[in-house]
């Protein structure tokens, strides 16, 4: 087994939260993807990061985006997460999203949402790490969150 195959298997055993990341391109067209590579980086200034595959349809739009939003998903958002993970889907044809005060689409009943200003997009192998400075957060009702573990969605909390 190759190092890459071992790494892929090892990472499948590491549970991670699931988020939907959205933005609007220069033409105001909404773009988005499902991510499990999302984490906080710094509290001062407040920063997070997301990782996006270079081959993703939305990649060129995200690396040049000024702002983006992150919605932390609940277990009932599994189908939405699957839709946003697929290439070519009409991801925004859903009533689960609503525009926030910044004009970014967010999951209406998410556990939490963050609005971020892009600080830097760093190419790293076949992905780009996008650092965002958190400008605003909104907390939904407390409750369980959606996670990904051993190639399946699970509930945590």
């Amino acid at each position: 087994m190759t190092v890459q195959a071992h790494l892929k298997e090892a990472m499948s055993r590491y549970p991670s939260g699931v988020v939907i990341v959205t933005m609007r391109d220069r033409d105001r067209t909404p773009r988005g993807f499902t991510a499990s590579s999302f984490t906080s980086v710094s509290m001062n200034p407040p920063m997070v990061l997301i990782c996006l595959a270079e081959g993703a349809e939305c990649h060129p739009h995200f690396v040049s985006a000024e702002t983006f939003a992150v919605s932390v998903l609940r277990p009932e958002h599994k189908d939405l997460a699957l839709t946003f993970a697929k290439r070519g889907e009409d991801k925004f044809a859903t009533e689960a999203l609503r525009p926030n005060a910044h004009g970014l689409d967010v999951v209406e009943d998410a556990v939490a949402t963050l609005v971020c200003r892009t600080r830097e997009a760093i190419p790293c192998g076949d992905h780009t790490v996008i650092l965002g400075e958190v400008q605003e957060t909104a907390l939904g009702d407390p409750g369980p969150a959606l996670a990904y573990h051993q190639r399946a969605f699970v509930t945590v909390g």
Side-chain angles (χ1 to χ4, degrees):
M1 195 180 273
T2 66
V3 172
Q4 291 86 351
H6 274 279
L7 176 60
K8 190 173 184 177
E9 180 59 30
M11 294 311 297
S12 79
R13 297 176 187 195
Y14 179 74
S16 58
V18 181
V19 300
I20 287 178
V21 187
T22 57
M23 55 81 70
R24 295 250 173 187
D25 68 16
R26 290 190 173 105
D27 296 330
R28 303 298 302 150
T29 302
R31 308 284 179 173
F33 66 98
T34 299
S36 58
S37 294
F38 164 74
T39 191
S40 65
V41 174
S42 169
M43 288 298 139
N44 190 18
M47 293 178 65
V48 297
L49 71 74
I50 54 172
C51 295
L52 178 60
E54 286 183 351
E57 286 177 303
C58 61
H59 182 271
H61 303 284
F62 271 92
V63 297
S64 64
E66 292 182 19
T67 59
F68 61 90
V70 178
S71 297
V72 180
L73 301 184
R74 297 181 185 280
E76 56 267 28
H77 297 135
K78 176 184 169 186
D79 289 340
L80 191 61
L82 288 169
T83 297
F84 270 77
K86 293 178 185 169
R87 180 180 284 276
E89 291 288 316
D90 185 1
K91 299 174 181 182
F92 293 86
T94 176
E95 294 182 15
L97 299 172
R98 65 166 171 76
N100 66 8
H102 302 275
L104 298 168
D105 297 290
V106 295
V107 177
E108 187 162 17
D109 59 342
V111 173
T113 57
L114 299 88
V115 174
C116 303
R117 181 176 56 84
T118 303
R119 288 281 299 260
E120 193 170 358
I122 306 162
C124 292
D126 59 1
H127 279 64
T128 298
V129 174
I130 301 172
L131 293 169
E133 185 170 343
V134 179
Q135 305 293 297
E136 181 179 295
T137 60
L139 299 177
D141 292 334
L146 186 64
Y148 199 69
H149 181 243
Q150 294 186 324
R151 297 179 181 86
F153 288 108
V154 297
T155 299
V156 296

